[in-house]
Amino acid sequence: MIGKYKIRTDLAMENGEKYEKDDVELSGVVIRKDYNREKDVHTTYVQIQTEHGAKMMEKPIGTYVTIEAPNLTAPDEEYHREISGELASHLRALLPDKEESAVLVIGLGNREITADALGPQVVEHLQVTRHIITEYGAAALGEERARKISALVPGVTAKTGMETMEIVRGVVRETNPDAVVVIDALAARSIRRLNCTIQLTDTGISPGSGVGNYRNALNQETLHVPVIGIGVPTVVDAGTIIHDAVAELLESLEESEMDEFLQELISPSLQSMYVTTKEIDETVKRLSTTISDGLNQAFLYNG
């Protein structure tokens, strides 16, 4: 929080960090961190267990897994394959236990805005199998046994005239999946997490939340099936850039003095401004392939 202006983040771990910094104990929240030195991957597990914890973290009760992989921004295919494997491992733990399950994958976002095109591009690389298994049975896939995977890119309300919830709820009602996996672009509080962090959660997702454009949440309560949200922060708000640029210079100030100073810098006109990197086109292409590869692995029985 900067005065009356709150820097946006969709990452649960970032909401937890502000309490760690102030050495505040979070009741009802369990946070565990792992580091794989070989892969240079930090993984943070956040479990919000109570309503008090949810209020403190400003997130719904549930599990949040965050994979921080700094080298994701580089065009290193081998490294991206390793991260796909990490993602697949965590996703399997959240998927329904039964092998012969049906999963609907939703790619949220606007294809015409690159920083918001992650969801649609992931779906383009997805191996959909529902139509094959429904028509010919699981044997039609040969030795590679997979779940029934279907996919949907619902677009944006400005293009369709319909809320994402209306479209998705109708498809869920007709196809009756055992789980829904929703892919979306997110916002981060820290510039260093841009395009190199993946969050998974069993609490679903709110379309448009990355840029403060909140729509109806896609979760188990609204869709009546388990909903897994997967997202990558592709934007930060302007306040984050200003905060990161001057925070080190202001370390000697008291918290209240820093807030007052930053409040003066962050004008109301900046509160609706979101920024991404200049190479976002290539970055989103790589990230979408990495995530879709992870999903494809997770959806295999023998994956």
Side-chain angles (χ1 to χ4, degrees):
M1 179 79 74
I2 300 176
K4 296 180 180 179
Y5 177 56
K6 179 180 176 183
I7 294 179
R8 275 207 41 76
T9 179
D10 292 306
L11 302 178
M13 64 169 297
E14 289 191 327
N15 281 348
E17 284 177 342
K18 60 187 177 183
Y19 296 106
E20 291 179 6
K21 180 181 178 182
D22 298 331
D23 200 25
V24 175
E25 184 177 348
L26 274 172
S27 175
V29 180
V30 176
I31 300 177
R32 179 170 61 87
K33 298 184 178 182
D34 288 336
Y35 176 57
N36 186 317
R37 186 177 301 275
E38 183 181 349
K39 297 179 181 179
D40 190 22
V41 173
H42 292 265
T43 306
T44 303
Y45 304 86
V46 176
Q47 286 187 318
I48 302 177
Q49 301 172 331
T50 66
E51 291 294 343
H52 172 75
K55 183 178 180 181
M56 294 286 285
M57 294 287 286
E58 302 177 37
K59 297 290 179 188
I61 292 174
T63 299
Y64 301 80
V65 180
T66 308
I67 303 168
E68 294 180 84
N71 292 328
L72 265 183
T73 56
D76 185 337
E77 291 187 11
E78 183 176 349
Y79 185 78
H80 279 255
R81 281 195 293 270
E82 290 179 346
I83 302 305
S84 294
E86 288 281 325
L87 173 61
S89 175
H90 293 300
L91 179 55
R92 287 190 202 102
L94 297 177
L95 287 169
D97 223 1
K98 63 177 184 176
E99 291 185 343
E100 297 177 2
S101 57
V103 180
L104 170 62
V105 180
I106 307 293
L108 298 180
N110 188 337
R111 294 181 188 270
E112 297 177 12
I113 301 175
T114 309
D116 193 35
L118 180 68
Q121 289 196 27
V122 168
V123 168
E124 285 181 9
H125 302 296
L126 203 63
Q127 294 176 1
V128 293
T129 59
R130 180 177 179 269
H131 59 306
I132 298 173
I133 294 174
T134 300
E135 185 73 20
Y136 304 106
L141 299 175
E143 296 180 1
E144 200 172 63
R145 300 175 61 209
R147 292 174 170 85
K148 282 185 178 181
I149 306 303
S150 53
L152 173 69
V153 177
V156 292
T157 303
K159 293 283 187 180
T160 65
M162 296 177 284
E163 288 285 346
T164 299
M165 170 59 70
E166 294 175 317
I167 299 171
V168 174
R169 190 157 47 197
V171 173
V172 168
R173 186 164 50 241
E174 289 298 317
T175 62
N176 195 31
D178 297 296
V180 173
V181 175
V182 185
I183 318 295
D184 200 9
L186 306 178
R189 178 182 286 130
S190 173
I191 293 174
R192 66 184 176 85
R193 293 198 173 102
L194 205 60
N195 301 324
C196 61
T197 305
I198 303 173
Q199 177 176 267
L200 299 88
T201 177
D202 60 4
T203 64
I205 212 159
S206 296
S209 64
V211 291
N213 182 25
Y214 294 95
R215 320 300 291 189
N216 292 323
L218 303 177
N219 54 35
Q220 184 157 7
E221 183 180 351
T222 58
L223 296 181
H224 308 296
V225 294
V227 180
I228 300 167
I230 300 177
V232 175
T234 59
V235 296
V236 295
D237 67 13
T240 293
I241 297 173
I242 295 174
H243 179 274
D244 286 1
V246 303
E248 290 186 12
L249 300 176
L250 303 178
E251 281 184 350
S252 60
L253 297 181
E254 296 290 333
E255 185 74 23
S256 59
E257 294 175 321
M258 182 185 291
D259 281 355
E260 183 179 353
F261 183 81
L262 290 172
Q263 178 67 22
E264 293 296 322
L265 288 177
I266 303 175
S267 64
S269 62
L270 292 178
Q271 296 185 16
S272 60
M273 183 177 293
Y274 291 84
V275 184
T276 190
T277 57
K278 64 180 181 180
E279 66 278 1
I280 190 64
D281 299 75
E282 288 303 315
T283 299
V284 167
K285 285 180 183 178
R286 286 195 297 269
L287 286 172
S288 63
T289 302
T290 302
I291 293 174
S292 62
D293 285 351
L295 266 61
N296 290 332
Q297 291 178 43
F299 294 151
L300 295 177
Y301 295 166
N302 56 355

